[in-house]
Amino acid sequence: MSDYKLLINGQLVAGDMTMPVINPATEEPVAVCARASKGQLDQAVAAAKIAFPAWSRTTMDERRAVLVAIADVIQANLTDLARLLTQEQGKPLADATGEIFGASAFFRYFASLDLPATVVTDDATSRIEIRRKPLGVVGCIVPWNFPMILMAFKVPAALLAGNTVILKPAATTPLTALKLGELIKDIVPPGVVNIISDANDLGGEMTTHPDIRKISFTGSTETGKKVMASAADALKRISLELGGNDALIVLDDVDPKEMAPKVYGAAMQNAGQVCIAAKRIYVHESMYDAMCDELVKCANAAVVGDGLEQGTQMGPLQNKAQFEKVMGFIESAKQDGKVIAGGGRKGDKGYFINPTIVRDIAEGSKLVDEEQFGPVMPVIKYSDPADAVRRANASIYGLGGSIWAKDSNRAWDLATEMESGSVWVNKHADLQPHLPFGGAKFSGIGSELGEDGLKEFTQVQVLNMAR
Ligand code: NAD
């Protein structure tokens, strides 16, 4: 019997099936958890539909109180949740702790927002207001790289706007989400939040479900396209946070020694499994050799291991399929460039890959053109900064990007030319709850976080009265 149950209509429910969850550091099962059937998804949606009218009529203060209570219970269970996250996801415990804390902070952030009606006209002839109405049942679909923080981009915003929720974590990282269900069972009214886990087989059922009014999806671009296509029939609202291939451009006035650890960190956090990791590093020719040498030092000094072990800086790839995919990127990079650090698996147990640096590589190579989503960094030479930006923009993706220079005004001007949803200067991947986050081009549709992210969970209504 599994300890990790579904949350349906306020009850913890055993799955119609069960499934093992593998610790990527050991390749051993962490736990056996519930796996929902299509019938259980239908039950969850029915419960959310029944719960919607009452929840949507609660006051903002009542909803805020629920969000704060969820934030409190996450924080109160920080240590256990972080440990579980490391076991199922692989990331070092300090990073897992940061992720869980971040999730609670995002619930608190959304609890500070409001959705006031805007009075456009109020005179002798008419009163016109623009209001924001909830949509109904919202499906939140989450990937495996940041199971908790990405959940917290969606669930509190959906709830604050007055929607009810079906949360579906990724098949390889369901445990923290199911644990959350246990923790919030008595905090949230029955049916308002339902949590189901699947074996990668219920996402499509959610996107076609007639009673789900919106899908908030984070995952790969390929799956995002399927979500968009299958949502068309019911004209379902969608927001898509998809893949990226962020360029990080280093201008010629920086000190390579000082710069290299920052570039390394931007690319290798979470073993490179970050949608806004720096995935293509463009370095000016005047310091190319020096920068490559410094990056090699960073890679060789990294402590790769089980995230539960003290001192580990980089954990394993999260799952076997991703491990194999990244090993494929390394093999192709060996043909297209020169591997100067790492270049293969670490050990023979667990999905560990040594942080890998590849130089003398350029566009036309799979490692540069596609999203590697792993600890393999292509370092690309350029001579003209405007050309580097043009090459950065010549990608189907447009999630993030950054320009680094001592002369920050010069970097700022170049940054304005970048075709991505977020552009940073002298930093990378700085996400803050009040800033809208979304992708250009194939990196997504719509945005999350901030007031824009909250509004994505609403329908505009104009209320227009004659006097
Ligand atoms: P994935 O697309 O394989 O899976 C994501 C989720 O979608 C999982 O919960 C999965 O079960 C579900 N799913 C699978 N098939 C589905 C279908 N037909 N319809 C609906 N849902 C379905 O992605 P992944 O491999 O888990 O995650 C890695 C990808 O996510 C990378 O490309 C990464 O860049 C991207 N990502 C993007 C962001 C962002 O905010 N833009 C953040 C994190 C990750």
Side-chain angles (χ1 to χ4, degrees), residues 19 71-72 121 133 142 169 227 244 266 268 278 317 328 368 383 450 453:
M19 61 184 190
D72 287 345
T121 306
K133 309 279 280 186
V142 178
V227 170
M268 297 294 186
L317 278 287
V368 177
S383 49

Side-chain angles (χ1 to χ4, degrees), residues 69-79 81 99-101 103-105 107 148 151-152 180 183-184:
I70 296 175
D72 287 345
V73 80
I74 292 175
Q75 230 172 308
N77 289 274
L78 184 81
T79 310
L81 284 167
E99 180 172 344
I100 303 294
F101 182 79
S104 70
F107 272 86
M148 287 303 267
M151 172 282 296
L180 179 71
L183 297 174
I184 66 171

Side-chain angles (χ1 to χ4, degrees), residues 141-145 150 168-171 198 200 203-204 207 217-221 223 226-227 241-244 275 279 371 373 399 437 443:
I141 302 181
V142 178
W144 43 257
N145 58 338
L150 294 174
K168 193 198 81 59
D198 71 339
N200 228 3
T207 59
F217 174 84
T218 302
S220 64
T221 295
T223 311
K226 288 187 199 158
V227 170
E241 297 290 343
L242 308 178
C275 54
K279 293 177 180 140
E371 184 186 36
F373 219 61
L399 195 56
F437 173 65
S443 289

Side-chain angles (χ1 to χ4, degrees), residues 38 42 45 49 205-213 234 236:
K38 165 75 167 65
D42 290 340
V45 177
K49 192 177 173 184
E205 302 288 353
M206 288 172 70
T207 59
T208 52
H209 202 293
D211 290 332
I212 296 183
R213 290 310 310 143
K236 199 163 288 182

Side-chain angles (χ1 to χ4, degrees), residues 328-343:
F329 271 92
I330 293 178
E331 286 317 305
S332 76
K334 285 179 182 166
Q335 310 301 315
D336 301 340
K338 192 169 167 205
V339 174
I340 50 175

Side-chain angles (χ1 to χ4, degrees), residues 128-131 460-464:
I128 306 176
E129 277 186 23
I130 301 173
R131 304 169 74 92
V460 173
Q461 183 184 61
V462 176
L463 201 52
N464 189 337

Side-chain angles (χ1 to χ4, degrees), residues 11 104-105 140 149 157 170 231 233 236 238-239 252 255 266 273 303 316 320 405 407 420:
Q11 301 293 318
S104 70
C140 299
I149 201 83
D233 231 20
K236 199 163 288 182
I238 50 169
S239 41
D252 58 4
D255 171 8
Q273 303 163 113
V303 182
K320 190 160 187 264
D407 178 351
S420 53

